[in-house]
Amino acid sequence: MVEKILIVDDEKEIADLIEVYLQNENMDVYKFYSGEEVLVCIGSTDFDLAILDIMLPDISGLSICQSIRSKEYTYPVIMLTAKDGETDKITGLTLGADDYITKPFLPLELVARVKAQLRRYKKYNVGAVVPAANEIFKYAGLTMNIKTYECRLNGEALSLTPTEFSILRILLERRCSV
């Protein structure tokens, strides 16, 4: 399976360089130069990892990271930025980033860190990604219990027909997939 990697960096040369290295590793790269564009894409594409620059012209990479985490996406986020202060690193990691790399960086080291994060996310974190026994699905305030046929939105019970329940189940099972 080809991994989908999100790259957001306003420096075109850096984004292009990362794209080349990741494509050489057979990864599918989605590249953006500003934050506004990426916010739309986050909700419509099922990413495996994101690489974010903090200093973007419109929205901070930290805000994008927060948006990813607020939507309960659990894929790894790597901050790639020129901000190398200790407080900058702590802030990035506290807001949901999984790794923090400062510029200038070694492209092969970045690739190694991407692979390590993907390995951790896909291979070692299987139990956290798949709901227990595929009985309970949760997404953005929606909770569906397959065993009891209960569905709640923000704690309130929903009255669904069997067809509606089945369609919603399929959508939750294949969240972020076309």
Side-chain angles (χ1 to χ4, degrees):
M1 185 168 122
V2 175
E3 285 90 3
K4 294 180 184 176
I5 310 297
L6 170 67
I7 299 172
V8 185
D9 199 315
D10 61 335
E11 295 180 58
K12 186 177 180 339
E13 297 81 15
I14 291 177
D16 292 346
L17 175 72
I18 296 168
E19 179 183 34
V20 168
Y21 274 86
L22 294 178
Q23 285 177 340
N24 284 339
E25 297 294 327
N26 297 319
M27 296 180 190
D28 197 4
V29 175
Y30 293 74
K31 181 175 56 173
F32 296 90
Y33 303 114
S34 71
E36 287 291 336
E37 299 172 323
V38 81
L39 291 176
V40 175
C41 186
I42 288 172
S44 63
T45 306
D46 188 16
F47 292 107
D48 296 301
L49 184 137
I51 300 172
L52 308 175
D53 184 11
I54 290 180
M55 297 182 294
L56 297 169
D58 49 0
I59 296 176
S60 164
L62 295 173
S63 297
I64 296 170
C65 182
Q66 283 182 304
S67 178
I68 290 170
R69 295 302 182 227
S70 70
K71 293 178 179 163
E72 299 182 14
Y73 296 126
T74 58
Y75 54 81
V77 174
I78 298 175
M79 303 307 294
L80 179 67
T81 180
K83 297 184 97 176
D84 61 354
E86 186 176 327
T87 55
D88 296 320
K89 292 177 185 179
I90 292 169
T91 301
L93 294 169
T94 301
L95 292 177
D98 298 285
D99 200 354
Y100 196 102
I101 302 171
T102 56
K103 297 175 186 176
F105 62 96
L106 300 171
L108 291 176
E109 180 185 355
L110 174 63
V111 170
R113 287 178 184 241
V114 166
K115 287 180 174 181
Q117 289 293 339
L118 289 171
R119 182 174 55 248
R120 239 178 251 117
Y121 175 63
K122 295 204 171 229
K123 187 174 181 181
Y124 304 138
N125 199 25
V126 175
V129 175
V130 178
N134 291 332
E135 292 179 0
I136 298 176
F137 294 94
K138 293 183 180 183
Y139 178 73
L142 180 71
T143 304
M144 177 181 270
N145 188 325
I146 304 303
K147 190 174 184 178
T148 63
Y149 286 91
E150 292 178 326
C151 191
R152 297 184 172 277
L153 181 61
N154 297 324
E156 293 185 32
L158 296 177
S159 176
L160 301 174
T161 67
T163 303
E164 291 170 334
F165 189 89
S166 297
I167 291 170
L168 187 56
R169 177 181 178 175
I170 291 169
L171 292 172
L172 288 171
E173 286 176 337
R174 299 180 180 123
R175 185 173 62 130
C176 298
S177 297
V178 179

